[in-house]
Amino acid sequence: MTDSAVQEDFAPLAEPYRRELLAHCYRMSGSVHDAEDLVQEVYLKAWRAYEKFEGRSSLRTWLYRIATTTCLTALESKGKRPLPTGLGAPSSDPAGELVEQGEVPWLEPIPDALLGTAASDPAVVATSRESIRLALIAALQFLPPKQRAVLILREVLAWPAAEVGELLGISTAAVNSALQRARAQIDQASPAEDAVVEPVAPDQRELLDRYMAAFETYDMAALKELFTQDAVWEMPPFVGWYQGPDAIRTLIENNCPAQGPGDMKLIPTVSNGQPAFAMYMRDPDGGYSAFQLQVVSLGPSGIGHVTVFFDVSLFGKFGLPETLPAGS
């Protein structure tokens, strides 16, 4: 078989792994935009090298090796992607002035639809909801890139320590040591599994419906009642973060451009294995324009965390329109 014929075989064999490789690159980079670019680079590299693939490992493993080294190379020239809560400052005054830092490469959310997290998907283990929780991705950003790779390869993909060490050029003992340090840091930064509730029960879905209705009817008193007492609200590119129902209500009332019922429209979606809402703000002509994307974490007693993203280019990633017509 000619080299060109071998390369022609590559696409149908490799394409089924695209979604889980995107999840892998997203965990490493913390950016959906960067992850998509990295996956394109991975497939180009793999296509060019496919004629030399000897099959000593599975094609899936080979692709992950290329993806991991590609991500590590890219991260050499990039800093971490934080959220405001990761900057080390205390919670902010909700009545104070908002401080924006647009030059910071903030963490980005990723739509579940890009990752194929449905239970029927063959890549469900590698793209499980727990492994793409926003809090976990944020915590991963504070690990050195190689340590980040160790944690993902060992904990998410279940690679043997020796195989991880061979890929990264370190000993098995060094892999185990890096994994131990990474676990300790992640346990401190990321919420426990039982602290995050899947919105499957009727009362949890009702809570999310009430949350959406409170914004659309501009009922800030009702909205306040949905948060846990230690709830957190953050919204990159603004550096502040806010804790507690009263602070969150004050923040929204002081800074949201909405003035009353009907000024906001919300469309439910799913991001990072969590409930999310695309918010649209009413224009002077009566239509609505993309305004922000909210990723919501449910705790056992209410909404525990909301991360708000003002990058409207994310709407396209979620398959959401940039505008809604009047009367929608």
Side-chain angles (χ1 to χ4, degrees), residues 92-134:
S92 305
D93 177 5
E97 183 179 354
L98 297 180
V99 178
E100 182 176 357
Q101 288 192 5
E103 71 280 5
V104 173
W106 296 102
L107 188 74
E108 295 176 352
I110 192 167
D112 282 28
L114 285 183
L115 303 180
T117 52
S120 59
D121 194 289
V124 68
V125 174
T127 56
S128 62
R129 291 187 166 196
E130 291 75 13
S131 71
I132 58 166
R133 296 283 189 201
L134 199 60

Side-chain angles (χ1 to χ4, degrees), residues 48-66:
R48 287 173 173 168
Y50 187 59
E51 63 189 70
K52 300 177 183 177
F53 174 58
E54 298 176 349
R56 286 183 291 181
S57 65
S58 68
L59 178 62
R60 179 176 182 265
T61 297
W62 183 66
L63 290 170
Y64 269 103
R65 293 173 68 90
I66 297 172

Side-chain angles (χ1 to χ4, degrees), residues 237-257:
F238 301 101
V239 299
W241 61 279
Y242 309 86
Q243 188 161 34
D246 289 317
I248 294 170
R249 177 180 179 176
T250 299
L251 172 77
I252 295 172
E253 289 180 332
N254 285 0
N255 294 282
C256 182

Side-chain angles (χ1 to χ4, degrees), residues 137-149:
I137 302 301
L140 285 171
Q141 295 299 299
F142 286 86
L143 300 178
K146 189 170 285 190
Q147 197 177 94
R148 198 181 309 174

